Amino acid sequence: MPTPPFPHDPPPQAPSKPGNDECCHSGCTFCVLEMYQEDLATYEAALRAWQQRQQAAAAPVPKGVRKPRKRA
């Protein structure tokens, strides 16, 4: 896998899938399976945003346009 253009912008980490024995199947208000699905949706959105940032950073700069300088 190539090095990302922004080393200080690591990819988001996927949530850990709950084990088969972690859900009691009793309709809890905070079901681990529902929470996982919500976390997974958030992760997928963050991953798409990260991929877009990486693609934008790797895109060639048109002539006459300067890249912004990195601030210390």
Side-chain angles (χ1 to χ4, degrees):
M1 185 171 171
T3 303
F6 292 127
H8 61 278
D9 186 15
Q13 298 296 310
S16 299
K17 186 173 183 176
N20 293 336
D21 60 338
E22 291 186 57
C23 179
C24 64
H25 301 286
S26 64
C28 299
T29 302
F30 298 105
C31 177
V32 294
L33 298 178
E34 289 178 9
M35 291 171 50
Y36 170 72
Q37 290 300 319
E38 291 172 5
D39 291 345
L40 187 60
T42 301
Y43 161 74
E44 289 170 347
L47 181 61
R48 284 190 299 275
W50 179 82
Q51 289 170 334
Q52 289 175 348
R53 286 192 307 274
Q54 298 304 306
Q55 288 175 351
V61 179
K63 288 184 179 179
V65 176
R66 293 183 179 179
K67 281 190 174 181
R69 289 185 172 186
K70 291 183 182 178
R71 293 184 180 177

